[in-house]
PDB file of all heavy atoms in Angstrom:
ATOM      1  N   ALA F  85      -7.859 -11.838  -8.432  1.00 97.00           N
ATOM      2  CA  ALA F  85      -7.901 -13.119  -9.136  1.00 97.00           C
ATOM      3  C   ALA F  85      -8.427 -12.949 -10.560  1.00 97.00           C
ATOM      4  O   ALA F  85      -7.903 -13.550 -11.506  1.00 97.00           O
ATOM      5  CB  ALA F  85      -8.773 -14.109  -8.365  1.00 97.00           C
ATOM      6  N   TRP F  89      -6.294 -13.652 -13.940  1.00 98.00           N
ATOM      7  CA  TRP F  89      -6.805 -14.580 -14.956  1.00 98.00           C
ATOM      8  C   TRP F  89      -6.803 -13.936 -16.338  1.00 98.00           C
ATOM      9  O   TRP F  89      -6.405 -14.555 -17.327  1.00 98.00           O
ATOM     10  CB  TRP F  89      -8.208 -15.031 -14.561  1.00 98.00           C
ATOM     11  CG  TRP F  89      -8.990 -15.640 -15.673  1.00 98.00           C
ATOM     12  CD1 TRP F  89      -8.669 -16.749 -16.402  1.00 98.00           C
ATOM     13  CD2 TRP F  89     -10.239 -15.159 -16.207  1.00 98.00           C
ATOM     14  NE1 TRP F  89      -9.629 -16.998 -17.353  1.00 98.00           N
ATOM     15  CE2 TRP F  89     -10.599 -16.037 -17.248  1.00 98.00           C
ATOM     16  CE3 TRP F  89     -11.063 -14.084 -15.881  1.00 98.00           C
ATOM     17  CZ2 TRP F  89     -11.768 -15.848 -17.986  1.00 98.00           C
ATOM     18  CZ3 TRP F  89     -12.229 -13.920 -16.606  1.00 98.00           C
ATOM     19  CH2 TRP F  89     -12.571 -14.779 -17.644  1.00 98.00           C
ATOM     20  N   VAL F  92      -3.084 -13.650 -17.525  1.00 97.00           N
ATOM     21  CA  VAL F  92      -2.504 -14.951 -17.869  1.00 97.00           C
ATOM     22  C   VAL F  92      -3.104 -15.507 -19.157  1.00 97.00           C
ATOM     23  O   VAL F  92      -2.391 -16.069 -20.008  1.00 97.00           O
ATOM     24  CB  VAL F  92      -2.696 -15.940 -16.706  1.00 97.00           C
ATOM     25  CG1 VAL F  92      -2.304 -17.354 -17.113  1.00 97.00           C
ATOM     26  CG2 VAL F  92      -1.883 -15.503 -15.490  1.00 97.00           C
ATOM     27  N   SER F  93      -4.416 -15.368 -19.315  1.00 96.00           N
ATOM     28  CA  SER F  93      -5.104 -15.921 -20.488  1.00 96.00           C
ATOM     29  C   SER F  93      -5.078 -14.970 -21.685  1.00 96.00           C
ATOM     30  O   SER F  93      -5.589 -15.313 -22.753  1.00 96.00           O
ATOM     31  CB  SER F  93      -6.565 -16.232 -20.133  1.00 96.00           C
ATOM     32  OG  SER F  93      -7.272 -15.037 -19.820  1.00 96.00           O
ATOM     33  N   GLU F  94      -4.476 -13.778 -21.493  1.00 94.00           N
ATOM     34  CA  GLU F  94      -4.457 -12.753 -22.539  1.00 94.00           C
ATOM     35  C   GLU F  94      -5.873 -12.492 -23.043  1.00 94.00           C
ATOM     36  O   GLU F  94      -6.139 -12.429 -24.248  1.00 94.00           O
ATOM     37  CB  GLU F  94      -3.533 -13.161 -23.692  1.00 94.00           C
ATOM     38  CG  GLU F  94      -2.089 -13.312 -23.261  1.00 94.00           C
ATOM     39  CD  GLU F  94      -1.162 -13.669 -24.410  1.00 94.00           C
ATOM     40  OE1 GLU F  94      -1.646 -13.778 -25.557  1.00 94.00           O
ATOM     41  OE2 GLU F  94       0.038 -13.824 -24.169  1.00 94.00           O
ATOM     42  N   ARG F  99      -6.076  -7.252 -23.408  1.00 95.00           N
ATOM     43  CA  ARG F  99      -5.820  -6.633 -24.712  1.00 95.00           C
ATOM     44  C   ARG F  99      -6.231  -5.154 -24.695  1.00 95.00           C
ATOM     45  O   ARG F  99      -5.522  -4.292 -25.223  1.00 95.00           O
ATOM     46  CB  ARG F  99      -6.560  -7.397 -25.806  1.00 95.00           C
ATOM     47  CG  ARG F  99      -6.015  -8.819 -26.020  1.00 95.00           C
ATOM     48  CD  ARG F  99      -6.533  -9.417 -27.304  1.00 95.00           C
ATOM     49  NE  ARG F  99      -7.985  -9.629 -27.267  1.00 95.00           N
ATOM     50  CZ  ARG F  99      -8.565 -10.737 -26.827  1.00 95.00           C
ATOM     51  NH1 ARG F  99      -7.820 -11.736 -26.358  1.00 95.00           N
ATOM     52  NH2 ARG F  99      -9.882 -10.869 -26.845  1.00 95.00           N
ATOM     53  N   ASP F 101      -6.300  -3.363 -22.059  1.00 97.00           N
ATOM     54  CA  ASP F 101      -5.342  -2.737 -21.149  1.00 97.00           C
ATOM     55  C   ASP F 101      -4.088  -2.300 -21.901  1.00 97.00           C
ATOM     56  O   ASP F 101      -3.562  -1.208 -21.671  1.00 97.00           O
ATOM     57  CB  ASP F 101      -4.997  -3.740 -20.046  1.00 97.00           C
ATOM     58  CG  ASP F 101      -3.852  -3.264 -19.174  1.00 97.00           C
ATOM     59  OD1 ASP F 101      -4.000  -2.217 -18.540  1.00 97.00           O
ATOM     60  OD2 ASP F 101      -2.808  -3.950 -19.138  1.00 97.00           O
ATOM     61  N   VAL F 130      10.646   5.882   4.981  1.00 97.00           N
ATOM     62  CA  VAL F 130       9.371   6.370   5.511  1.00 97.00           C
ATOM     63  C   VAL F 130       8.791   5.355   6.489  1.00 97.00           C
ATOM     64  O   VAL F 130       8.336   5.701   7.592  1.00 97.00           O
ATOM     65  CB  VAL F 130       8.378   6.640   4.366  1.00 97.00           C
ATOM     66  CG1 VAL F 130       7.002   7.013   4.916  1.00 97.00           C
ATOM     67  CG2 VAL F 130       8.908   7.751   3.464  1.00 97.00           C
ATOM     68  N   ARG F 143       6.864   2.722  24.007  1.00 92.00           N
ATOM     69  CA  ARG F 143       7.725   2.505  25.177  1.00 92.00           C
ATOM     70  C   ARG F 143       7.474   3.563  26.242  1.00 92.00           C
ATOM     71  O   ARG F 143       7.439   3.252  27.435  1.00 92.00           O
ATOM     72  CB  ARG F 143       9.189   2.527  24.742  1.00 92.00           C
ATOM     73  CG  ARG F 143      10.143   2.133  25.857  1.00 92.00           C
ATOM     74  CD  ARG F 143      11.543   1.907  25.336  1.00 92.00           C
ATOM     75  NE  ARG F 143      12.412   1.402  26.384  1.00 92.00           N
ATOM     76  CZ  ARG F 143      13.686   1.102  26.212  1.00 92.00           C
ATOM     77  NH1 ARG F 143      14.239   1.250  25.013  1.00 92.00           N
ATOM     78  NH2 ARG F 143      14.402   0.656  27.218  1.00 92.00           N
ATOM     79  N   TRP F 150       6.190  -2.828  23.038  1.00 92.00           N
ATOM     80  CA  TRP F 150       6.478  -1.597  22.319  1.00 92.00           C
ATOM     81  C   TRP F 150       7.291  -1.841  21.059  1.00 92.00           C
ATOM     82  O   TRP F 150       7.322  -1.012  20.140  1.00 92.00           O
ATOM     83  CB  TRP F 150       7.235  -0.630  23.229  1.00 92.00           C
ATOM     84  CG  TRP F 150       8.523  -1.190  23.755  1.00 92.00           C
ATOM     85  CD1 TRP F 150       8.713  -1.859  24.928  1.00 92.00           C
ATOM     86  CD2 TRP F 150       9.802  -1.143  23.108  1.00 92.00           C
ATOM     87  NE1 TRP F 150      10.026  -2.236  25.061  1.00 92.00           N
ATOM     88  CE2 TRP F 150      10.715  -1.807  23.956  1.00 92.00           C
ATOM     89  CE3 TRP F 150      10.264  -0.614  21.903  1.00 92.00           C
ATOM     90  CZ2 TRP F 150      12.064  -1.957  23.630  1.00 92.00           C
ATOM     91  CZ3 TRP F 150      11.606  -0.761  21.574  1.00 92.00           C
ATOM     92  CH2 TRP F 150      12.485  -1.419  22.451  1.00 92.00           C
ATOM     93  N   ALA F 157       6.979  -3.697  10.592  1.00 96.00           N
ATOM     94  CA  ALA F 157       7.576  -3.013   9.446  1.00 96.00           C
ATOM     95  C   ALA F 157       8.576  -3.910   8.724  1.00 96.00           C
ATOM     96  O   ALA F 157       8.594  -3.981   7.489  1.00 96.00           O
ATOM     97  CB  ALA F 157       8.258  -1.723   9.917  1.00 96.00           C
ATOM     98  N   GLN F 172       5.733 -12.523 -10.571  1.00 97.00           N
ATOM     99  CA  GLN F 172       6.199 -11.900 -11.806  1.00 97.00           C
ATOM    100  C   GLN F 172       6.911 -12.911 -12.701  1.00 97.00           C
ATOM    101  O   GLN F 172       6.716 -12.924 -13.925  1.00 97.00           O
ATOM    102  CB  GLN F 172       7.129 -10.738 -11.487  1.00 97.00           C
ATOM    103  CG  GLN F 172       6.442  -9.538 -10.860  1.00 97.00           C
ATOM    104  CD  GLN F 172       7.419  -8.445 -10.487  1.00 97.00           C
ATOM    105  OE1 GLN F 172       8.577  -8.721 -10.151  1.00 97.00           O
ATOM    106  NE2 GLN F 172       6.973  -7.205 -10.536  1.00 97.00           N
ATOM    107  N   GLU F 186      11.637  -7.122 -22.180  1.00 92.00           N
ATOM    108  CA  GLU F 186      11.677  -7.683 -20.836  1.00 92.00           C
ATOM    109  C   GLU F 186      10.302  -8.222 -20.430  1.00 92.00           C
ATOM    110  O   GLU F 186       9.263  -7.745 -20.909  1.00 92.00           O
ATOM    111  CB  GLU F 186      12.122  -6.618 -19.830  1.00 92.00           C
ATOM    112  CG  GLU F 186      13.518  -6.071 -20.082  1.00 92.00           C
ATOM    113  CD  GLU F 186      14.595  -7.128 -19.899  1.00 92.00           C
ATOM    114  OE1 GLU F 186      14.418  -8.020 -19.046  1.00 92.00           O
ATOM    115  OE2 GLU F 186      15.610  -7.063 -20.613  1.00 92.00           O
ATOM    116  N   GLY F 203       1.309   2.017   3.418  1.00 97.00           N
ATOM    117  CA  GLY F 203       0.092   1.669   4.154  1.00 97.00           C
ATOM    118  C   GLY F 203       0.377   1.206   5.569  1.00 97.00           C
ATOM    119  O   GLY F 203      -0.301   1.617   6.516  1.00 97.00           O
ATOM    120  N   VAL F 204       1.383   0.353   5.722  1.00 97.00           N
ATOM    121  CA  VAL F 204       1.762  -0.095   7.064  1.00 97.00           C
ATOM    122  C   VAL F 204       2.277   1.080   7.890  1.00 97.00           C
ATOM    123  O   VAL F 204       1.976   1.187   9.087  1.00 97.00           O
ATOM    124  CB  VAL F 204       2.817  -1.217   6.984  1.00 97.00           C
ATOM    125  CG1 VAL F 204       3.392  -1.527   8.361  1.00 97.00           C
ATOM    126  CG2 VAL F 204       2.198  -2.480   6.378  1.00 97.00           C
ATOM    127  N   LEU F 220      -6.758  11.977   9.297  1.00 97.00           N
ATOM    128  CA  LEU F 220      -7.202  12.130   7.918  1.00 97.00           C
ATOM    129  C   LEU F 220      -6.033  12.524   7.013  1.00 97.00           C
ATOM    130  O   LEU F 220      -5.917  12.041   5.882  1.00 97.00           O
ATOM    131  CB  LEU F 220      -8.306  13.183   7.842  1.00 97.00           C
ATOM    132  CG  LEU F 220      -8.863  13.482   6.437  1.00 97.00           C
ATOM    133  CD1 LEU F 220      -9.461  12.234   5.813  1.00 97.00           C
ATOM    134  CD2 LEU F 220      -9.894  14.603   6.510  1.00 97.00           C
ATOM    135  N   ALA F 221      -5.164  13.395   7.517  1.00 97.00           N
ATOM    136  CA  ALA F 221      -4.004  13.828   6.734  1.00 97.00           C
ATOM    137  C   ALA F 221      -3.092  12.647   6.410  1.00 97.00           C
ATOM    138  O   ALA F 221      -2.568  12.541   5.293  1.00 97.00           O
ATOM    139  CB  ALA F 221      -3.233  14.908   7.481  1.00 97.00           C
ATOM    140  N   TRP F 226      -1.103   8.849   2.347  1.00 97.00           N
ATOM    141  CA  TRP F 226      -0.916   7.486   1.836  1.00 97.00           C
ATOM    142  C   TRP F 226      -1.574   7.339   0.466  1.00 97.00           C
ATOM    143  O   TRP F 226      -0.959   6.815  -0.473  1.00 97.00           O
ATOM    144  CB  TRP F 226      -1.493   6.469   2.815  1.00 97.00           C
ATOM    145  CG  TRP F 226      -1.608   5.093   2.229  1.00 97.00           C
ATOM    146  CD1 TRP F 226      -0.597   4.195   2.037  1.00 97.00           C
ATOM    147  CD2 TRP F 226      -2.798   4.459   1.748  1.00 97.00           C
ATOM    148  NE1 TRP F 226      -1.083   3.053   1.466  1.00 97.00           N
ATOM    149  CE2 TRP F 226      -2.422   3.185   1.273  1.00 97.00           C
ATOM    150  CE3 TRP F 226      -4.133   4.856   1.681  1.00 97.00           C
ATOM    151  CZ2 TRP F 226      -3.361   2.298   0.732  1.00 97.00           C
ATOM    152  CZ3 TRP F 226      -5.066   3.979   1.140  1.00 97.00           C
ATOM    153  CH2 TRP F 226      -4.670   2.710   0.679  1.00 97.00           C
ATOM    154  N   THR F 253      -5.121  -4.003  -5.832  1.00 97.00           N
ATOM    155  CA  THR F 253      -6.140  -4.866  -5.231  1.00 97.00           C
ATOM    156  C   THR F 253      -5.524  -5.852  -4.241  1.00 97.00           C
ATOM    157  O   THR F 253      -6.068  -6.059  -3.154  1.00 97.00           O
ATOM    158  CB  THR F 253      -6.894  -5.631  -6.324  1.00 97.00           C
ATOM    159  OG1 THR F 253      -5.963  -6.331  -7.165  1.00 97.00           O
ATOM    160  CG2 THR F 253      -7.704  -4.675  -7.193  1.00 97.00           C
ATOM    161  N   ARG F 262      -5.717  -7.318   7.667  1.00 65.00           N
ATOM    162  CA  ARG F 262      -5.004  -7.259   8.955  1.00 65.00           C
ATOM    163  C   ARG F 262      -4.282  -5.928   9.028  1.00 65.00           C
ATOM    164  O   ARG F 262      -3.387  -5.669   8.237  1.00 65.00           O
ATOM    165  CB  ARG F 262      -4.009  -8.419   9.060  1.00 65.00           C
ATOM    166  CG  ARG F 262      -3.308  -8.500  10.420  1.00 65.00           C
ATOM    167  CD  ARG F 262      -2.406  -9.722  10.482  1.00 65.00           C
ATOM    168  NE  ARG F 262      -1.785  -9.847  11.774  1.00 65.00           N
ATOM    169  CZ  ARG F 262      -2.321 -10.404  12.850  1.00 65.00           C
ATOM    170  NH1 ARG F 262      -3.534 -10.884  12.769  1.00 65.00           N
ATOM    171  NH2 ARG F 262      -1.670 -10.494  13.980  1.00 65.00           N
ATOM    172  N   PRO F 276     -11.746  15.695  20.336  1.00 30.00           N
ATOM    173  CA  PRO F 276     -12.725  16.352  19.475  1.00 30.00           C
ATOM    174  C   PRO F 276     -12.036  17.234  18.462  1.00 30.00           C
ATOM    175  O   PRO F 276     -10.940  17.685  18.646  1.00 30.00           O
ATOM    176  CB  PRO F 276     -13.548  17.186  20.451  1.00 30.00           C
ATOM    177  CG  PRO F 276     -12.642  17.383  21.631  1.00 30.00           C
ATOM    178  CD  PRO F 276     -11.793  16.185  21.721  1.00 30.00           C
TER     179      PRO F 276
END
Side-chain angles (χ1 to χ4, degrees):
W89 163 60
V92 171
S93 65
E94 298 182 1
R99 293 194 294 271
D101 171 61
V130 174
R143 187 169 186 179
W150 58 268
Q172 290 177 329
E186 298 295 327
V204 170
L220 179 60
W226 167 77
T253 54
R262 185 176 183 84

